[in-house]
Amino acid sequence: MSSRIFSPLNIIYILSLVTLFAAVFGVVPREFIFIPAVLILGYMLVAPHQNGLLLFVRFIPFFFALPLTQGFDNFNLWRIAIILLFAKWILSGRNLDEIVASLQWNNLRNLWNSARAEVLGSALFALAFISLFVAQDISTGVKRIIYFANLTLLFVIVRGLVRRENGYVQKLTNNFVVSGMVAVVVGFGQWISTYFLPVWIFHYWWGQIVSLNMYGQQWANIVTNFGNTWFSYSGGGLRLRMFSLFPDSHTFPLYLLMVLPFLFLFIYDAKRTLTKWERRLAWFGFLALHLALILSGTRGIWAGIIFPAVALGTAWFFMPYTRVYGKKVALSIGAFILMFPFAWAILMLPQFQDDNVPSHNVFFTRIGSLIDTSETSNQGRIAIWRSTLKSIAHNPALGIGIGNYPVVLDQNISATRMGASAHNLYLQVASEMGIPAAIIFIWFLWEVFARAWRFAQKPSYNTLTGLFAFAIIFSFIWILGYSLTDAALFDERAFLGFLVFIGVLLGITRQNEIKNPKPQ
């Protein structure tokens, strides 16, 4: 046990986190942030690429910008780390030979049947390039394509390792769960700190110290001077949301939804020899994750649970064989509902009392605003949707160019950095790249869903494998439902988590990729 605790991976992870937090919270100068950068990249360079990926997955919520120069201090470490991992992965084993062989004509003819989701993803990249012909700002569009290409390397690595390495799903599961649980712990620390600080002190501290050290001066200026999603405004009251070290309060709960299926797998893995207290700790983390979803204050997440709940109820009545999974996955709905009274009780405590609005009024007003079309935020979304639909009607074939969404709202292209979006994932794709791209994007999401569903239909459905597939379906529907009100999935941390999420799913091609003990 001690050898596993003090493994090189754990030592590097802990040392990197400690030095990172010291730099981010201003204990030491920002330049000290190069220490965790050297530790992370050094480990990935020396260790096998399989272990390097595990460290990468752990660090997704905490990847930070490098202060390379005074004017260029926002280049994020994950970009370098992915390229390094991809280079090691592609040069190891038969990976390069397999890629070359897959491009031969006799294999291309069978590619549609064997890798339909991957083909659709490639088609989206092709349409993104084509949309540059109508882009007002081509350079921004090119940067956006490079951004997605850089991110997609993670999917290629995850899918490849899961396909080839027996037992690697469990390793990824353990490390993905660690990333989510540490993010939740940091989130509670970030949120609790406001009970000891006036709102203006927190705003300056998180903007000009934490955000600056974590993401660079440009982002610090945006969240300090132009706007952020740190606070919810309801009933005339001001309350802080939980967002951990994520850039905003929308990507944080999205990431937790991607961790959720892996947490199910971790808890129900019958071969894991957890002690009674370890099992209790795992269930406590399960409840804490759902409480964090609520305290993020993201109403789309609150309302989005309706979609998987309806899907689960439908499966329960019309597909009885799924009940063996459904009764376990339904624990997530129960935990989410159970945590609402706890959230209300917590928010009854004084936070920012200078607004003279009782906390319970803010909480219930926030819930009521879900269906209040006169609420300011809802009115803004409706106005944005109308403008987006008009833009799609005027530019149905190619959109207005990838990365150029601010044009729809008659804003400067730089507004993309400030969070300008369609507040709807599907409208975002249609407005930037056209209706054909939106159709292919939805088709891609359907193929991912269908792969999970087929996996849950295997003859050995009464297994841990089926539960994992069913939990993925549950979270996937929740994420897609939430995406009707936001396009936060394309933010880097959320998208990195999503690539791990679908990379594991699409990489599982054999039934024994996950061992199949009977659920307890």
Side-chain angles (χ1 to χ4, degrees), residues 192-402:
I192 291 172
S193 68
T194 60
Y195 284 88
F196 303 95
L197 296 171
V199 60
W200 65 271
I201 290 181
F202 177 86
H203 187 272
Y204 176 83
W205 172 52
W206 209 268
Q208 289 300 316
I209 296 178
V210 177
S211 296
L212 170 64
N213 292 331
M214 188 77 177
Y215 301 112
Q217 187 65 61
Q218 184 183 24
W219 181 250
N221 291 339
I222 290 172
V223 295
T224 304
N225 302 319
F226 295 98
N228 55 66
T229 64
W230 300 341
F231 305 95
S232 62
Y233 304 87
S234 299
L238 176 70
R239 293 297 177 268
L240 186 82
R241 305 180 184 195
M242 182 186 294
F243 52 89
S244 192
L245 276 178
F246 284 66
D248 61 47
S249 60
H250 299 130
T251 54
F252 173 59
L254 260 182
Y255 187 79
L256 297 186
L257 289 183
M258 295 163 199
V259 172
L260 184 58
F262 295 86
L263 185 55
F264 270 111
L265 180 60
F266 178 86
I267 291 174
Y268 282 107
D269 187 350
K271 287 192 173 182
R272 175 170 294 279
T273 56
L274 295 177
T275 66
K276 178 177 68 174
W277 288 104
E278 288 172 337
R279 194 170 294 277
R280 287 178 179 177
L281 183 62
W283 281 112
F284 179 79
F286 180 79
L287 294 175
L289 182 147
H290 287 83
L291 180 57
L293 290 175
I294 298 171
L295 294 178
S296 72
T298 306
R299 294 170 300 169
I301 294 291
W302 299 358
I305 198 172
I306 295 173
F307 295 94
V310 170
L312 189 62
T314 302
W316 184 274
F317 283 104
F318 294 101
M319 305 170 200
Y321 61 88
T322 65
R323 292 176 184 176
V324 67
Y325 314 132
K327 64 183 180 182
K328 297 183 184 302
V329 175
L331 291 173
S332 183
I333 299 175
F336 192 72
I337 296 173
L338 176 65
M339 288 298 104
F340 261 98
F342 282 91
W344 174 79
I346 292 172
L347 291 173
M348 284 287 288
L349 300 172
Q351 193 184 56
F352 302 135
Q353 288 301 297
D354 53 327
D355 55 24
N356 297 316
V357 178
S359 294
H360 68 276
N361 286 354
V362 176
F363 185 69
F364 287 120
T365 302
R366 185 83 178 154
I367 295 176
S369 68
L370 284 168
I371 56 174
D372 183 6
T373 57
S374 65
E375 193 264 344
T376 303
S377 178
N378 292 341
Q379 284 185 334
R381 273 183 167 81
I382 293 172
I384 289 173
W385 292 340
R386 286 173 178 167
S387 297
T388 304
L389 288 171
K390 289 179 181 178
S391 177
I392 294 171
H394 287 119
N395 307 279
L398 299 179
I400 44 84
I402 185 171

Side-chain angles (χ1 to χ4, degrees), residues 19-59:
T19 51
L20 171 64
F21 291 164
V24 166
F25 292 108
V27 178
V28 297
R30 188 186 178 194
E31 288 69 25
F32 276 69
I33 213 166
F34 282 105
I35 295 177
V38 170
L39 288 172
I40 293 169
L41 295 179
Y43 180 81
M44 291 180 179
L45 185 63
V46 174
H49 62 277
Q50 294 91 334
N51 291 347
L53 178 60
L54 299 181
L55 180 61
F56 185 97
V57 167
R58 281 195 195 185
F59 237 89

Side-chain angles (χ1 to χ4, degrees), residues 446-469:
W446 170 256
E447 286 298 329
V448 174
F449 173 84
R451 178 72 66 88
W453 183 248
R454 286 195 297 269
F455 199 63
Q457 303 294 306
K458 286 184 175 292
S460 57
Y461 68 86
N462 191 19
T463 64
L464 190 63
T465 302
L467 174 63
F468 180 53

